[in-house]
Amino acid sequence: MKPLYLLLLGLLLLADVFAYTEVATLIRQPSDASVILGFVLLTLLILINFFVIRFSLTKLNT
């Protein structure tokens, strides 16, 4: 089962790269709504990363 969690962390890293580029393009937009949406997505991305990494690390240590 441990390789599955390592694969999950690898996929999370790949998803982070794509999501961060999307957030960066939203934040650079001149529209206020785009900037707010970019910051909301960035916050959501940070929360998802925290919980997925925490879950994976607890499963890897057992």
Side-chain angles (χ1 to χ4, degrees):
M1 286 297 261
K2 289 185 181 185
L4 181 64
Y5 295 112
L6 291 175
L7 178 66
L8 178 66
L9 289 174
L11 289 175
L12 179 69
L13 179 67
L14 185 63
D16 282 343
V17 170
F18 289 122
Y20 185 73
T21 56
E22 183 65 30
V23 166
T25 57
L26 280 173
I27 291 174
R28 281 191 236 131
Q29 296 291 327
S31 169
D32 289 339
S34 295
V35 173
I36 292 171
L37 181 63
F39 281 123
V40 168
L41 289 176
L42 182 63
T43 305
L44 186 66
L45 181 67
I46 291 169
L47 286 173
I48 289 171
N49 281 331
F50 175 75
F51 288 117
V52 169
I53 291 172
R54 185 174 173 188
F55 172 75
S56 295
L57 288 178
T58 58
K59 292 297 181 180
L60 283 173
N61 289 335
T62 59

